[in-house]
Amino acid sequence: MRRLSLIVATLFCLIAVCSLLTPKGRTQEITTPRSADVFHTTASNIIIPQARSYALDDPQNQIQISEVTAEVRILQQVATTTMDVGLTNPTDRVQEAEMLVPVPDGAVVRAFTFAGSAKEPTAKLLPKGEAKMIYRSIVSKLKDPALLEFAGYNLVRSSVFPVPAHGTQRVRLVYEHILAADGNRVDYVLPRSESFEATETPWKISVRVNSRSPISAVYSPSHLIGIERPAPQQAVVKVAGDKKIEPGAFRLSYLVEGNGLTASLLAYPDARVGGGYFLLLAGVPASFRGAQENTIKREITLVIDRSGSMAGEKIEQARAAALQVVEGLNMGEAFNIIDYSDSIARFSERPVIKTDATIRQARAYIKRLRSDGGTNIHDALVEALLQSPTPHTLPLVLFLTDGLPTVGERRETAIRSAVLANNKHNRRIFSFGVGFDVNAPLLTSIANSTRATSSFVFPNENVEAKVSQVFARLAGPVLAEPQLAMVDSSGSVTTRAVRELLPAQLNDVFEGDQIVLLGQYQGDDPLHFRINGNYLGAPKTFDFKFDLKKATTRNAFVPRLWASRKIARLIETISEAGADNAQLSRSINSAALASNARSLSAGAHISSVGSATGSGAALDPRLKELVDEIVRLSTEFGVLTEYTAFLATDGTDFSRPEELNEQARQGLVNSAQNTRSGMGGVTQAVNGNAQMTQSSANRSNFFLNQNMQRVEITNVQQITDRTFFRRNDRWIDARVLDREKALKPDQTIEFGTPEFYRLVDRLVGEGRQGILALSGEMLLSIDGKTVLIKAPPKE
């Protein structure tokens, strides 16, 4: 890796020199100022593509950023970023714009072009110091400190003229820089504003990675991404979202393949937890993709609901899904089909090996499936788990149902217990809930407890498509039954190096999978991870050692991701604890309704009957600490769910924690515990699944409400490692929320003063200048003191 970096650096220097010697064409002439450039411009607008546009005179003359497209090409650790920026002029006159583009350290501008220029466009590449003076000059003119969030970056400056009246202009900037590498991990960063105002501009971001060695993992902690792998040495990444993507710098990391499992560590120091937080990223070799002979064989049991409610389109789609799964298995792998209603039937006494003959028989069996009767979930699961296993295979179950248990054992806790008691062969149960009339917490629990996942098919979705999507992810098991242990300096296993691991148990790793493990580390000694498992059919051990000297507060996404998963796990625990209480509540209400109906026929007075577990009932004392912890983590890390969204309401009194905890308790009881099926139950499960496995920032705190509507909460923000709640026109540091009402600032800093810029310099040095993107007054906790930053006066 070091030799590769030296070669890349040499090539890059040659590229940079050549770029300066390039004769004038349609690309830019690059000039470097000899002294600090005081900001003077004849332009009427300032354009910062990663943030927004600013009108220097009349706001009605403001040029709009219509769209930004960023295409990144990474070749052997050299990144070429092409930014296409669309500008729209709404006025009756031709305008000029001053464009400022923050770029990373070491960036070299390769091209700057736009249409209609009378002369060759020129661009200045300003280093950090001169860029800082430009930012300060503009901030003084605009009375808006938000630009200072880019202090610490280099800056490309250029004039754009003309921007036609009632017309558009398209500007292209191309720059290159060498990417930082940490062991086998290579990191890319595209600067973007932390402000949600920037999300109003449509963005598209794509990255194509070409590596000399195969790539084992591709990961973004900042944004949801889609990944395609055309070849082991290539990856194509697109940021998810319909043009509107979440704010903040786009971060991407990829791991260059090592010997088997490849891993890297990102750490954030925090003495409050005894050391800090870590994220372990690991990936399996990409070179095994599609190589059937190199992977572990699978044994798949399809368990199909054929109850009466499956009649029509659902049973047809279930048959098609079953056929696709069986046909999709490799020759020599094993399968079985169990179908159930109020009775249980099986294709075979035990799983059979896929051959031409067994496939013909399976087709005929699937074709004969008909829907009728009730839903005996308990017995269907037990039958699937008690089968004799196929030797040297990974046993998987695809369990499908569209209803609540109506026959046999119907208690949720009893069904969960039966799964644990009878799963002696460690089968993974991938569950599918079809429609809304399912017990969502039950399906989620049995999946999570068996190293699998749950999926839900909404009424307008196709069963076959959802099952096929999951089955495709189960291709080519590479690492089965992975076990994690920590090793101390003497080589002995230790239980004291890390804690609070999420997930607590590693899942199997299939082709294209990667491990994202979050937790807390103790002390500052190097971390030694040891992962054992069935690797490509044989036992193997992988050891990874990481020095914590590279732990940095710039990895602030790590503790927030950990907190998000932790909250999801606590919610799941509370939900599971309410299983039978919810059923009891429904029984009580059903009996009460029947009694009231009889009373009505007799002309008697009807009185309301409350839920046995409603808001007036006392929560199990053992769960109180779970609710309290959810509220604490939600406040500290700015991670809000449907149960804690009320914390973002202006006027919430954080000086009364017991009242806040009680409000959260009521929401958890009424929803997480009592709403287990229907649209509300399924949307809660979907939210929980996303949060339980969350690997990228959810800056907008979005979730689905019980009507399946997307909800976003943007008046609570975590930027870098600070959480802020917006209260009226002021952003309050979460660390002082409980003292907000009686709080008197220890220091007040006026915008634009020397004290203000000293604070800015400090934030830049700590990598926390992103908080300046928040508009309005700000109450910060710094060194144990409360500092009020006054907003600029409005003109």
Side-chain angles (χ1 to χ4, degrees):
M1 192 71 182
R2 180 177 297 175
R3 180 181 298 176
L4 175 60
S5 298
L6 290 173
I7 294 172
V8 169
T10 303
L11 290 173
F12 188 81
C13 290
L14 291 172
I15 291 171
V17 170
C18 291
S19 70
L20 294 174
L21 298 176
T22 301
K24 289 185 178 181
R26 289 302 300 163
T27 59
Q28 110 293 1
E29 174 188 343
I30 301 172
T31 61
T32 303
R34 297 179 180 178
S35 60
D37 186 8
V38 178
F39 186 76
H40 295 291
T41 181
T42 59
S44 58
N45 282 262
I46 295 174
I47 307 295
I48 303 180
Q50 297 102 315
R52 50 169 293 199
S53 62
Y54 298 84
L56 293 176
D57 45 24
D58 187 347
Q60 293 184 351
N61 296 331
Q62 183 173 344
I63 293 174
Q64 303 296 326
I65 305 174
S66 57
E67 63 175 339
V68 180
T69 300
E71 293 184 354
V72 185
R73 298 291 181 267
I74 300 175
L75 177 62
Q76 305 301 340
Q77 210 178 321
V78 176
T80 302
T81 301
T82 301
M83 292 183 63
D84 287 310
V85 184
L87 303 178
T88 301
N89 179 4
T91 70
D92 296 326
R93 60 185 177 87
V94 177
Q95 294 200 76
E96 179 183 3
E98 189 86 14
M99 182 167 285
L100 305 174
V101 184
V103 295
D105 281 347
V108 173
V109 178
R110 294 288 292 143
F112 183 81
T113 60
F114 56 90
S117 175
K119 58 181 181 179
E120 291 299 326
T122 61
K124 294 181 180 180
L125 180 60
L126 308 179
K128 291 180 184 179
E130 296 179 30
K132 181 172 70 173
M133 296 187 69
I134 293 290
Y135 287 133
R136 290 188 178 185
S137 179
I138 298 174
V139 164
S140 297
K141 292 177 184 292
L142 297 176
K143 299 293 187 289
D144 185 349
L147 285 178
L148 294 171
E149 68 170 309
F150 294 113
Y153 284 107
N154 295 336
L155 184 68
V156 175
R157 178 185 179 185
S158 183
S159 174
V160 178
F161 182 85
V163 183
H166 295 293
T168 61
Q169 177 63 274
R170 194 164 187 85
V171 182
R172 168 168 288 186
L173 169 68
V174 182
Y175 66 87
E176 294 178 344
H177 70 295
I178 299 176
L179 300 183
D182 184 352
N184 283 32
R185 191 187 79 241
V186 180
D187 300 322
Y188 171 86
V189 178
L190 174 65
R192 293 179 70 245
S193 175
E194 301 285 351
S195 171
F196 268 88
E197 291 184 26
T199 63
E200 298 303 317
T201 299
W203 269 77
K204 291 182 181 178
I205 301 176
S206 61
V207 183
R208 179 178 290 273
V209 182
N210 289 277
S211 172
R212 186 186 303 275
S213 302
I215 300 167
S216 63
V218 181
Y219 170 65
S220 172
S222 61
H223 293 79
L224 288 172
I225 57 174
I227 305 170
E228 296 179 4
R229 300 296 305 274
Q233 294 85 6
Q234 297 177 355
V236 178
V237 178
K238 292 184 179 179
V239 175
D242 185 17
K243 295 187 178 180
K244 180 180 178 180
I245 64 175
E246 294 205 328
F250 169 62
R251 301 178 183 277
L252 185 75
S253 298
Y254 64 91
L255 298 185
V256 177
E257 187 176 304
N259 182 20
L261 192 68
T262 306
S264 185
L265 190 80
L266 294 156
Y268 173 92
D270 191 341
R272 295 175 301 171
V273 297
Y277 297 86
F278 73 86
L279 184 153
L280 179 73
L281 174 65
V284 294
S287 53
F288 290 117
R289 295 174 187 275
Q292 300 175 12
E293 67 278 6
N294 291 324
T295 56
I296 302 165
K297 294 186 182 299
R298 298 165 294 179
E299 174 208 272
I300 291 188
T301 300
L302 283 153
V303 185
I304 302 173
D305 184 346
R306 54 172 171 80
S307 61
S309 57
M310 286 286 291
E313 189 177 59
K314 286 192 286 188
I315 193 65
E316 292 177 6
Q317 292 177 359
R319 284 197 295 259
L323 187 60
Q324 190 171 87
V325 169
V326 172
E327 298 275 11
L329 288 170
N330 301 320
M331 287 296 183
E333 293 187 311
F335 72 92
N336 200 0
I337 304 165
I338 296 176
D339 52 291
Y340 69 99
S341 57
D342 42 27
S343 61
I344 313 298
R346 289 184 287 182
F347 169 73
S348 176
E349 188 68 21
R350 55 168 295 170
V352 299
I353 301 300
K354 178 181 176 180
T355 63
D356 291 337
T358 56
I359 282 297
R360 285 195 301 272
Q361 296 164 8
R363 291 192 192 112
Y365 186 89
I366 292 170
K367 187 177 181 179
R368 291 194 297 269
L369 292 179
R370 296 292 181 269
S371 57
D372 59 34
T375 308
N376 192 339
I377 288 178
H378 175 277
D379 289 1
L381 284 168
V382 170
E383 284 290 327
L385 297 176
L386 290 179
Q387 299 177 101
S388 298
T390 306
H392 311 299
T393 61
L394 180 64
L396 311 172
V397 174
L398 304 185
F399 179 83
L400 186 148
T401 184
D402 81 327
L404 301 167
T406 59
V407 177
E409 180 60 74
R410 291 177 290 173
R411 292 173 300 160
E412 181 180 331
T413 53
I415 295 174
R416 290 205 311 252
S417 297
V419 168
L420 295 176
N422 291 285
N423 196 14
K424 295 178 171 43
H425 305 302
N426 295 322
R427 284 188 162 89
R428 284 74 164 147
I429 305 175
F430 292 85
S431 62
F432 298 85
V434 181
F436 293 139
D437 191 26
V438 295
N439 187 326
L442 171 62
L443 297 180
T444 298
S445 178
I446 62 176
N448 290 345
S449 65
T450 59
R451 284 181 162 167
T453 60
S454 59
S455 302
F456 295 91
V457 186
F458 294 161
N460 59 340
E461 293 182 321
N462 187 288
V463 177
E464 179 187 0
K466 186 60 69 78
V467 173
S468 299
Q469 183 181 24
V470 173
F471 178 65
R473 294 204 306 265
L474 303 180
V478 177
L479 179 64
E481 300 186 30
Q483 302 291 334
L484 173 68
M486 302 302 296
V487 180
D488 62 20
S489 57
S490 67
S492 302
V493 172
T494 177
T495 59
R496 297 190 292 273
V498 297
R499 59 195 293 270
E500 296 285 355
L501 299 180
L502 295 168
Q505 184 181 49
L506 297 178
N507 286 350
D508 305 306
V509 183
F510 295 85
E511 286 183 7
D513 276 352
Q514 52 198 38
I515 296 171
V516 179
L517 176 68
L518 293 150
Q520 298 175 357
Y521 64 85
Q522 304 296 290
D524 54 8
D525 292 334
L527 295 179
H528 182 169
F529 294 84
R530 176 169 292 167
I531 298 178
N532 300 289
N534 176 358
Y535 181 72
L536 301 175
K540 190 163 184 178
T541 299
F542 299 94
D543 285 276
F544 307 102
K545 297 179 181 179
F546 301 104
D547 197 321
L548 291 171
K549 292 179 180 178
K550 294 184 179 180
T552 172
T553 55
R554 286 174 169 80
N555 291 334
F557 56 85
V558 174
R560 190 174 193 269
L561 288 174
W562 174 88
S564 188
R565 289 191 183 185
K566 180 67 174 179
I567 289 170
R569 184 68 190 94
L570 295 171
I571 292 170
E572 183 185 46
T573 301
I574 291 174
S575 175
E576 290 177 351
D580 292 337
N581 285 339
Q583 290 179 321
L584 175 62
S585 174
R586 286 193 294 269
S587 298
I588 290 174
N589 285 333
S590 297
L593 289 172
S595 175
N596 285 340
R598 289 192 296 271
S599 299
L600 180 62
S601 64
H605 174 71
I606 302 175
S607 61
S608 61
V609 178
S611 169
T613 54
S615 60
L619 186 68
D620 186 331
R622 293 171 297 178
L623 300 183
K624 180 182 183 303
E625 63 180 355
L626 302 181
V627 176
D628 294 353
E629 183 67 358
I630 288 172
V631 174
R632 184 189 71 81
L633 292 173
S634 297
T635 304
E636 179 179 346
F637 293 98
V639 178
L640 302 187
T641 65
E642 58 262 56
Y643 316 106
T644 54
F646 69 90
L647 294 173
T649 305
D650 206 356
T652 300
D653 190 349
F654 286 87
S655 67
R656 299 182 176 183
E658 291 303 321
E659 293 182 7
L660 299 182
N661 294 344
E662 172 59 18
Q663 190 169 347
R665 183 196 74 80
Q666 291 183 17
L668 286 159
V669 169
N670 293 332
S671 296
Q673 289 197 334
N674 286 355
T675 306
R676 311 189 76 77
S677 60
M679 188 183 296
V682 171
T683 53
Q684 286 182 98
V686 171
N687 291 334
N689 285 348
Q691 194 171 348
M692 193 83 72
T693 58
Q694 186 176 334
S695 298
S696 61
N698 176 12
R699 285 284 306 278
S700 60
N701 279 306
F702 75 83
F703 57 84
L704 296 177
N705 66 14
Q706 297 205 2
N707 294 318
M708 289 189 65
Q709 297 169 323
R710 181 185 172 101
V711 176
E712 294 186 355
I713 302 172
T714 58
N715 57 345
V716 175
Q717 286 295 304
Q718 189 189 52
I719 299 181
T720 64
D721 56 355
R722 296 296 182 94
T723 298
F724 296 90
F725 284 67
R726 191 172 183 86
R727 321 279 282 173
N728 296 319
D729 290 328
R730 177 182 291 181
W731 289 95
I732 310 293
D733 193 324
R735 302 181 187 199
V736 299
L737 272 174
D738 58 341
R739 298 179 285 127
E740 175 194 1
K741 287 191 173 182
L743 189 64
K744 293 184 179 179
D746 297 310
Q747 182 182 6
T748 298
I749 298 179
E750 297 286 344
F751 167 79
T753 62
E755 290 83 2
F756 174 79
Y757 285 111
R758 280 196 291 269
L759 176 61
V760 171
D761 289 341
R762 173 174 175 170
L763 293 175
V764 171
E766 296 172 348
R768 294 187 171 104
Q769 67 270 31
I771 66 177
L772 297 168
L774 299 174
S775 59
E777 290 188 347
M778 189 181 307
L779 198 62
L780 277 174
S781 177
I782 301 177
D783 297 334
K785 295 182 179 181
T786 306
V787 178
L788 175 63
I789 303 176
K790 299 288 287 184
K794 295 181 180 180
E795 297 183 353

